[in-house]
Each structure stands twice: as structure tokens, then as C-alpha cells.
Amino acid sequence: MKGISIKDIAKQAGVSPTTVSFVLNGKAKEKRISEQVSKKILKLASKLKYKPNQLARGLRTGKTKTIGLIVEDIANHFFANVAKIVEEEADKYGYKVLYGSTEDNITKARGLLDVLEYRQVDGYIITPTPGMDKEIEALKHARKPMVLLDRYLPQIPTNYVMVNNFQGAYDAADYLVKCGYKNIALVTIPSEQIQMKERLDGFTAAMKAHQAPFPRKMTKKIPFAATKDEALSEIKSFILGNPDLEAIFFSTNYLGIYGMEAFKELGLTIGKDIAFISFDDHDLFRLYSPGITCVAQPIHDIARHVIQVLMNELDNNHNEINQVILPATLVKRESCSRVKSQKA
Amino acid sequence: MKGISIKDIAKQAGVSPTTVSFVLNGKAKEKRISEQVSKKILKLASKLKYKPNQLARGLRTGKTKTIGLIVEDIANHFFANVAKIVEEEADKYGYKVLYGSTEDNITKARGLLDVLEYRQVDGYIITPTPGMDKEIEALKHARKPMVLLDRYLPQIPTNYVMVNNFQGAYDAADYLVKCGYKNIALVTIPSEQIQMKERLDGFTAAMKAHQAPFPRKMTKKIPFAATKDEALSEIKSFILGNPDLEAIFFSTNYLGIYGMEAFKELGLTIGKDIAFISFDDHDLFRLYSPGITCVAQPIHDIARHVIQVLMNELDNNHNEINQVILPATLVKRESCSRVKSQKA
DNA sequence: TCAGAGCGCTAAATCGATTAAGCAGACTAT
DNA sequence: ATAGTCTGCTTAATCGATTTAGCGCTCTGA
């Protein structure tokens, strides 16, 4: 059950393995192999269905044509979609993808990095967890091709591709204020991670620009590590504790989903009792009645840029840094459709 | 920037590479290497942060410790979740996962298989597309470890892990009839694929068992290749063409989502105008108001069994065939909650 | 005293490709 | 005639691990 090797072809063609290798690597001209021999080899290769052993090749060349994709959670809508495009795009360049989820846990992330190193991946796409600075620094120092995804580490200049979190959150707050809502709250995670900070900053900046009050107590932070039940009850008691609440912005996809669940359990109607807006789009938001207004990320563009930047690193060694920030889109649906004139 | 190799350790320890290899592979005892030497080598290995080159190892042993995961669509909720568990479980056995989506397209599937063969994956997890029989047969003939996922090919006895489609659909129909609905329709894809056939069969069987009428015109088939817009308009015109319709069963996750969209566009209320039930659970179904009743697949169990069966193949060579069919769960929510007594 | 076993380790082949170096033979130029 | 060049290919080293066969030594028992 052995595969066909370059030696088998060589033997049958009556030439040396070297010649076969040259021909199959398209170096026939360069290495001055005759047409005759070239053709014979090519014919034999396709007749025998020769498939180069990537292990042997990789061992020799030091390239595996494999990239490592580290995401927060491959089962999450955003990352699953990114993973899909990444795989498709990588394939066009002859690369395959190994993946893994960190759950935003640095220990898991370290484990993944280790394994990917064992596997000699050629490049890394990484959604960094909190506290991952040292590891990223190490990769950078080792000059490994790498792109950060969805977030970046402000202390370390690296390639990254992400959405414009500030602008996305700004637009959301801007929209809520323009719709005439007062007493607007934000639900987020107490993370030092830059993407969360930027969402908070963008939101705050918009409120300030409108001179709309946004006291600290209107920001609710739910620990990432909270269980679903804990998160739900935190959200519910936050809502109950703020009876004047007119609108809530949830700073992530999954918090938004928890928010909907909380509303459901409290018997509140989205858009009617309290306006509702979330970061990140989702089937759920699109199809819910009322449709949930959200700040959508350009998932395809993100994935495509990630691969482009990585391939650029992989090809060239000139180390310009690519930092791509793509615009977020405010998708207006019915969950916060009140307009100023309707205000009492 | 070269990594540390076994030779480096050997040199520093003053022994041969062979000895190092024995020790690091836990064969110290078996190969009668002294405690002293063993310890020295182990200490050096961890001091130098030795990481075995998997390529070299793979080349020699013929094992890559990599498995190929071929799904229909990694961005789909079901497959994304399977992919997550598969990765976690595989990791426990020291395996990494390469993935790819077929879009249910045989050409794409062939491409994926080719690439995975190049990459010398040790085993395959495959969601077969229609017409993939020859390829699966070939893998089987080559005695490659393999498990089919989500569906199987009736003509070819292989390992597989899937949900009990017949029972799931049967329960759904049974439930609808017991709730008192008449004029029940089924929306599916016109696929010869076994999982779809079994869902249709299960549904039909339940209707028959209740002596409930289920004429052919109550089955609507939407081509898998249809665009979203096409699918939507097909579903809408089907609904409009059947004004007596009381309940619809959608045989897949994504058809259910299209169905919800169609309802929304037609201004129909799920559960009130027409009862609604879908195969496969989804955040959307859980959180929608009303909650969407569905036939849930035991995703975790499926993924875990897949890995177990594959690892079993990978370990042993005794070729018993493992065919695992896991029960589906009817998750009752409000989208078809009418009970018999309420019927006019 | 000497064959045979046990001990602790090593030499060298091997996996399948890539690639630097180089070797004959034909031809060219002086 | 002789050095130099070009042609068309081959030899052999190499990547980093695994693994078979076996080496040199000591010890034991008859």
C-alpha cells in the first residue's frame, strides 16, 4: 500500500531521481532537461498517479504549507465564518489550515501554539487571549509569519486585521441618541482587551459628542468566565435595577444573545419596552421579530485580508507591518426604531 | 533559528542520537538505558525545550498524527460545533485536525480528499456528498481509517456516526398530529442522500401510523443548490398555494431558518398562523418568540463517538465496523403548542 | 576455561523529497 | 591541438527522527 515515490518514476523512466524532481518541479528548462525526458517523466507521473510526499518535502525544505488558525471559539458564528473563508482562501495558495479554540484561556492558547510549533506550521493566524503578549512577542522575535485577528496587543506592533470597533460602537451610540433615547446602557465584559476597550471608548465618545449623560452606573460588565446562568441573572438584575432604561447596547454577539434571553425571561419586549442593539450580526438578529439592530463586522473582508497579509509575509521577507482596520456597518432593524418625533 | 534536534541533545549528553530517541520515546526501560543516562537526557531535553520534528517523525513512521475533517459547511451551526468537539477530543489523543467544506459539491470533496492524501492524514472524518461512493470505496479499499459523519452510503458498509433521522422525524410528525394539526407539510431537499430520505420516511411513517393524510403535494422539495432568494420564494409560494396549511416541518436547520424568513416576509406568525417545527436546534430556535420546536441532534455525543470510532480504527487493525446511531430529541417549544382540545 | 547470556549502548539504514556540486561528451574558438 | 563552454544528466549530502542489527563488555555456570 505504499505510495508512488520519485524513485519509482525514476526507475521506470531510466533516469535519476534528481531528474524526476527537476521536471516535476517545473525546473526542466532551467536545469536543461530534454523535452523527451521531460515528457516521459510527466507521462509516467500522471500514469502512476504520483503524489509528492509532503512530509519528505517539508522536512527538506522546511516548509509545510500549513497555517495555524487560533480562534476564540470555532463554534461561534463569527469565527466559524472566518474559518470557512480562511480555509478557502488558503487553499488557493496551496495551504492547509490547522485550527483550535482558546476559549479565551491563555493556557489553552499556549497549548495550541506548542502543538502548532511541533507541526512546523509556516504561519499563524491568532486571536490573542488576554495576557498572551509574551507568546506573541516570542513568535515575532522568531520572525514567524503571523497575523492577529479580531484584536491586537497595543504594546506589540504586529500585523493585524480587525473591524473598526471604535467606529462601530460610536455609530451605535450615535444612532441611539439620534433616535431620541435617554438613559442608554452598555453591557460588556470587564476585559482589558483592546477590542472591548475600543468599543467602550467609541460608545462613550459618541455620548459625549451629543452631550448625552452616560454615568458609570450605566455600564454593566459581565465577566467572560461567568456561566450562562450567572450572566443571565446579572443582566436581569441590571435591567430591573434601572427602571428608566430606554436602550441597551450589548458589546458582543453572545452578550446580545444573553440579553435577548434575559428580556424573554423578564417578559420584556425588545424595541417596545427597551431598545436593543448588539455588536456583531447573527441569524438570530436578522430573523427575530422585531429584527435586532446591530453593528455588523465585514466577515468576508476580514478573512480575505487575513490571508492576504499572511501570504504577503510568507512570500516576502521585507517586514513592513500590515494593520488593517475595516469599517463596521450599522444594520438598522426594528429593535430601536423609535424616532425623535415619537418621543413623548 | 533552527530548532533543537535529537542530535544536539545527543552531543551535549555525550551519547548517541539513538539513545536519546529511546529515552524520549519512553523506551528507556525496554531498551535497558541506565537511569543516569535517562535522567540526563530528559533534563537536557526540557532545558533545551526540545520539540520533536513531526515531519521527520512522520516521514519515518508513516504517521502524521493528523486527521482530515470533511464537512458540508464549517460555518454551519451543526458542523461548527462538531468541529469544535472533534478538535478537542482529537487533541487528547495527540491528533490535529485539517478541515474543509464541501458545500455538498463532489468536485470540492474530491479536491479535499486529494489534498488530505497528499498530506498523509492518518484518518478521515467525512460528511459524504451525493455521488461520493467511488471515493469512499477507494478509501475503504486502501484500508484507510475512516468514519462517516451525519450520513452514510447504504451501498457501502463503513463506520459511521449519525443521529437517528427516522426516529427524529417520526417524533416530529407524531407530535404534530397529537397536537391536533391537520394539513401538515414537509419542506426538504430533493436529495437521494440517506439522511434526507430517512427523515422523509420517518415523517411519512408517523403520519401513516396515525392514519393522517399526507398527500404528495404536501412535500415541498427545495434544491440544495438554490440561492437563498430562490429558496425563499419557493417556500413562500408553497405556503400561499396551500391556504389550509396548519403545520410545517422543515427537514434541515437552514431550511428552517429560510422558513422563518419566509414567514416574516409573508407577515405570518409562527405558531399562531401555522405551526412550525424544524430538524436541528439553533440559538435562533431557542430564543425566538415563540420558541421554535425542533428535533435536536446530540452534537457532543456525535463528535465524541466519531473520534472514538476513528481512534479505535487507528489503534487496532481488527476491522470490525462501528455504526453508531444516536437518538434525536424532540425539543418542545411554543411554535406548535396547540393541544387537541384547543382545536375548533 | 570457555560458551552463552545479559547489559548498556551505538552504527548505520531508512523514510521521500530537494539541491549543491560535478561529470562525461560534444562543440567552439583560438 | 587544447582549453573552455555548453548540454544533459547524476552523485551524494541533507532534513530529523526511528529502528534493526549488533558491538564490546561483564558475569555465570558447567
Side-chain angles (χ1 to χ4, degrees):
Chain A
M1 280 307 127
K2 281 283 168 60
I4 302 298
S5 87
I6 219 170
K7 270 188 203 163
D8 301 315
I9 297 183
K11 214 166 281 173
Q12 292 202 36
V15 299
S16 78
T18 306
T19 308
V20 177
S21 174
F22 286 155
V23 170
L24 295 180
N25 284 302
K27 298 192 182 163
K29 286 253 166 55
E30 182 190 336
K31 298 292 180 177
R32 297 174 310 231
I33 309 297
S34 67
E35 279 276 309
Q36 270 186 40
V37 173
S38 270
K39 271 190 187 158
K40 193 198 283 181
I41 289 172
L42 256 13
K43 217 173 270 177
L44 267 172
S46 76
K47 188 178 127 206
L48 299 177
K49 296 194 181 161
Y50 168 71
K51 304 201 171 159
N53 183 319
Q54 299 285 341
L55 290 179
R57 175 179 284 175
L59 180 58
R60 185 64 235 259
T61 62
K63 303 272 151 228
T64 54
K65 287 275 186 178
T66 304
I67 67 192
L69 172 64
I70 298 182
V71 295
E72 183 175 306
D73 178 3
I74 190 82
N76 178 100
H77 174 260
F78 172 74
F79 290 112
N81 277 279
V82 168
K84 183 176 183 186
I85 316 287
V86 161
E87 190 263 329
E88 285 175 4
E89 294 290 316
D91 186 61
K92 292 184 189 162
Y93 295 89
Y95 282 81
K96 263 309 205 191
V97 182
L98 290 173
Y99 69 97
S101 306
T102 63
E103 311 286 344
D104 226 22
N105 170 339
I106 187 160
T107 310
K108 277 207 164 189
R110 285 202 190 107
L112 285 170
L113 282 176
D114 266 4
V115 175
L116 294 178
E117 190 184 344
Y118 279 24
R119 303 266 168 172
Q120 334 277 134
V121 297
D122 295 339
Y124 296 81
I125 299 170
I126 302 175
T127 306
T129 68
M132 215 174 158
D133 301 57
K134 228 183 258 171
E135 285 75 15
I136 300 293
E137 191 81 78
L139 284 176
K140 193 188 165 187
H141 188 254
R143 306 187 130 260
K144 299 280 186 193
M146 167 178 56
V147 197
L148 266 33
L149 168 64
D150 188 54
R151 52 195 85 157
Y152 66 97
L153 303 171
Q155 311 84 324
I156 309 176
T158 52
N159 300 308
Y160 60 73
V161 178
M162 57 192 298
V163 74
N164 193 330
N165 289 295
F166 185 95
Q167 166 251 320
Y170 188 102
D171 289 356
D174 182 69
Y175 177 65
L176 288 176
V177 173
K178 283 188 180 149
C179 283
Y181 295 104
K182 315 281 182 206
N183 291 313
I184 300 173
L186 177 148
V187 175
T188 185
I189 51 180
S191 168
E192 285 312 301
Q193 286 180 81
I194 197 71
Q195 80 278 19
M196 288 304 146
K197 222 172 142 304
E198 288 179 346
R199 289 177 196 176
L200 178 55
D201 290 350
F203 200 85
T204 310
M207 297 300 277
K208 191 170 281 174
H210 283 287
Q211 293 177 288
F214 185 50
R216 181 152 304 173
K217 76 169 186 105
M218 295 306 268
T219 298
K220 176 68 189 168
K221 297 188 176 182
I222 313 280
F224 182 86
T227 64
K228 189 182 156 189
D229 285 344
E230 288 164 5
L232 275 183
S233 75
E234 288 241 28
I235 294 173
K236 285 192 284 186
S237 63
F238 176 71
I239 293 174
L240 292 175
N242 285 279
D244 296 337
L245 210 58
E246 292 186 11
I248 304 193
F249 173 72
F250 292 88
S251 74
T252 81
N253 189 322
Y254 81 92
L255 285 176
I257 294 175
Y258 285 171
M260 292 174 72
E261 211 150 351
F263 270 57
K264 194 170 185 179
E265 292 185 9
L266 291 175
L268 292 170
T269 303
I270 287 177
K272 218 173 116 202
D273 296 317
I274 298 177
F276 193 110
I277 180 167
S278 176
F279 212 93
D280 235 343
D281 204 355
H282 196 273
D283 278 340
L284 177 58
F285 297 161
R286 185 167 46 85
L287 294 175
Y288 201 78
S289 288
I292 306 291
T293 295
C294 67
V295 178
Q297 299 200 44
I299 297 185
H300 283 238
D301 277 356
I302 289 177
R304 270 191 290 263
H305 273 94
V306 160
I307 289 294
Q308 261 173 36
V309 171
L310 191 60
M311 289 303 144
N312 192 41
E313 283 262 292
L314 247 18
D315 283 353
N316 318 311
N317 280 356
H318 27 93
N319 271 43
E320 80 257 35
I321 288 189
N322 280 293
Q323 306 191 143
V324 181
I325 296 184
L326 297 163
T329 311
L330 183 67
V331 179
K332 296 176 188 171
R333 300 203 180 97
E334 303 89 47
S335 68
C336 36
S337 52
R338 176 168 63 172
V339 293
K340 210 148 199 163
S341 58
Q342 293 178 288
K343 185 85 211 296
Chain B
M1 282 307 127
K2 281 282 169 62
I4 303 297
S5 87
I6 219 171
K7 271 188 202 162
D8 301 319
I9 298 183
K11 214 166 282 172
Q12 293 202 34
V15 298
S16 79
T18 308
T19 308
V20 177
S21 173
F22 286 155
V23 170
L24 296 180
N25 284 303
K27 299 192 180 163
K29 286 252 165 56
E30 181 190 337
K31 298 292 181 177
R32 299 173 311 229
I33 308 298
S34 67
E35 280 277 309
Q36 270 185 43
V37 173
S38 271
K39 271 193 187 154
K40 193 199 285 184
I41 288 173
L42 257 10
K43 216 173 271 177
L44 267 173
S46 77
K47 187 178 127 207
L48 298 178
K49 297 194 180 161
Y50 168 72
K51 306 202 171 159
N53 183 320
Q54 299 286 341
L55 290 179
R57 175 179 284 174
L59 180 59
R60 185 65 236 259
T61 61
K63 303 273 151 229
T64 54
K65 287 276 186 177
T66 304
I67 66 192
L69 172 64
I70 297 183
V71 296
E72 182 175 305
D73 178 4
I74 189 82
N76 179 100
H77 175 260
F78 171 74
F79 290 111
N81 276 278
V82 167
K84 184 178 183 183
I85 317 288
V86 160
E87 190 264 327
E88 284 175 4
E89 294 290 314
D91 186 61
K92 292 183 188 161
Y93 295 88
Y95 283 81
K96 262 309 204 191
V97 182
L98 289 172
Y99 70 97
S101 306
T102 62
E103 312 285 344
D104 225 24
N105 170 340
I106 188 161
T107 310
K108 276 205 164 190
R110 286 202 189 106
L112 285 170
L113 282 177
D114 265 5
V115 175
L116 294 178
E117 190 185 344
Y118 277 26
R119 303 265 168 173
Q120 337 275 133
V121 297
D122 295 339
Y124 297 81
I125 299 171
I126 302 176
T127 306
T129 68
M132 215 173 156
D133 301 57
K134 227 182 259 170
E135 286 74 16
I136 300 294
E137 192 80 79
L139 284 175
K140 193 187 166 190
H141 188 253
R143 308 185 129 260
K144 300 280 186 194
M146 166 177 59
V147 197
L148 265 33
L149 168 65
D150 188 54
R151 52 194 85 158
Y152 65 97
L153 303 171
Q155 312 83 323
I156 309 176
T158 52
N159 299 309
Y160 59 74
V161 178
M162 56 193 296
V163 73
N164 193 330
N165 289 294
F166 186 96
Q167 167 251 321
Y170 188 102
D171 289 356
D174 183 69
Y175 177 65
L176 287 177
V177 172
K178 284 188 180 150
C179 283
Y181 295 103
K182 315 278 181 206
N183 293 311
I184 300 173
L186 178 149
V187 175
T188 185
I189 50 179
S191 170
E192 283 314 301
Q193 286 180 83
I194 196 71
Q195 80 278 19
M196 288 303 144
K197 221 173 143 305
E198 289 179 346
R199 289 178 195 176
L200 179 55
D201 290 350
F203 199 86
T204 310
M207 297 299 277
K208 192 169 281 173
H210 283 286
Q211 295 177 286
F214 185 49
R216 179 151 306 171
K217 75 170 187 104
M218 294 307 268
T219 298
K220 176 66 190 170
K221 296 189 174 182
I222 313 281
F224 182 86
T227 65
K228 189 183 156 191
D229 285 343
E230 288 163 5
L232 275 183
S233 75
E234 288 240 29
I235 294 173
K236 285 191 285 184
S237 63
F238 176 72
I239 294 174
L240 292 175
N242 286 279
D244 295 337
L245 210 57
E246 292 186 12
I248 305 193
F249 173 71
F250 291 88
S251 74
T252 80
N253 189 321
Y254 80 91
L255 285 176
I257 294 176
Y258 285 170
M260 292 174 71
E261 210 150 353
F263 271 56
K264 193 169 185 180
E265 292 185 9
L266 291 174
L268 293 170
T269 303
I270 288 177
K272 220 173 115 202
D273 295 317
I274 300 177
F276 192 111
I277 181 167
S278 176
F279 212 93
D280 234 345
D281 203 354
H282 195 273
D283 278 340
L284 177 57
F285 297 160
R286 184 167 48 83
L287 294 175
Y288 201 79
S289 289
I292 307 290
T293 294
C294 66
V295 177
Q297 301 201 44
I299 297 185
H300 282 238
D301 277 357
I302 289 177
R304 270 192 290 264
H305 274 95
V306 160
I307 288 294
Q308 260 173 35
V309 171
L310 192 61
M311 289 304 145
N312 192 41
E313 283 263 291
L314 247 18
D315 282 354
N316 319 311
N317 280 358
H318 26 93
N319 271 43
E320 78 257 34
I321 287 188
N322 280 292
Q323 306 191 144
V324 182
I325 296 184
L326 298 163
T329 311
L330 184 67
V331 179
K332 295 176 189 172
R333 300 204 180 98
E334 304 89 48
S335 68
C336 36
S337 53
R338 177 167 61 172
V339 292
K340 212 151 199 161
S341 58
Q342 295 178 287
K343 186 85 213 295

